[in-house]
Amino acid sequence: MVLLLDQISETINNNTVVVYSKTYCPYCTKAKNELKKHNISAKIIELDIIDEGADIQQALLELTKQRTVPNIFINKTHVGGCDDLLRKIASGEVKKLLEANL
C-alpha cells in the first residue's frame, strides 16, 4: 500500500490535473468532458483497465476518504468527484487552483 501511495503522490505532484476514472462510469465521462470543454488537459488514469486499479482505488480511499470515481486532483489539491468539480468550475475555484500553478 505504501508503494501505491507513493505512486499516487508522484502522479499528483507531476501533473497539474489528475483524474482517477473508470471507462464505464458516467460521472467520470461527464467530469472528463467538462474538463475538455474548458480546455483543461488532465492525466487520466482508468482504474478499470490497469492491473493494480482496484488497489489504487483502495489507496485513494485511504488518502482522500473518497470511495468513488472520478477522484480528481488539481494542483496537488483534492477536488473530489464530478459534482464537486462542476461546483468548483462554476464558482471559479478551479480557475484559481490552475492559476496557482503559473
Side-chain angles (χ1 to χ4, degrees):
M1 189 64 75
V2 172
L3 288 174
L4 283 176
L5 288 171
D6 288 345
Q7 178 184 335
I8 291 166
S9 291
E10 185 176 325
T11 300
I12 292 166
N13 289 331
N14 292 330
N15 296 279
T16 305
V17 180
V18 179
V19 179
Y20 290 91
S21 173
K22 292 190 178 173
T23 57
Y24 57 82
C25 167
Y27 297 104
C28 297
T29 300
K30 186 174 183 179
K32 291 180 283 190
N33 287 340
E34 196 66 23
L35 289 169
K36 278 184 201 158
K37 185 171 105 180
H38 291 277
N39 296 314
I40 300 169
S41 60
K43 169 83 171 168
I44 310 290
I45 294 119
E46 300 290 3
L47 297 176
D48 60 319
I49 59 173
I50 57 174
D51 289 340
E52 67 273 15
D55 294 332
I56 291 173
Q57 190 167 3
Q58 187 61 39
L60 284 166
L61 173 61
E62 282 189 29
L63 183 68
T64 66
K65 309 300 181 236
Q66 178 181 320
R67 180 176 308 279
T68 58
V69 290
N71 207 327
I72 304 165
F73 296 84
I74 298 177
N75 236 344
K76 303 174 187 72
T77 300
H78 182 243
V79 171
C82 180
D83 291 342
D84 301 310
L85 175 68
L86 296 177
R87 271 195 302 278
K88 289 175 180 174
I89 286 173
S91 74
E93 188 175 342
V94 165
K95 187 174 185 217
K96 288 179 188 158
L97 286 169
L98 290 168
E99 287 171 350
N101 198 37
L102 299 176

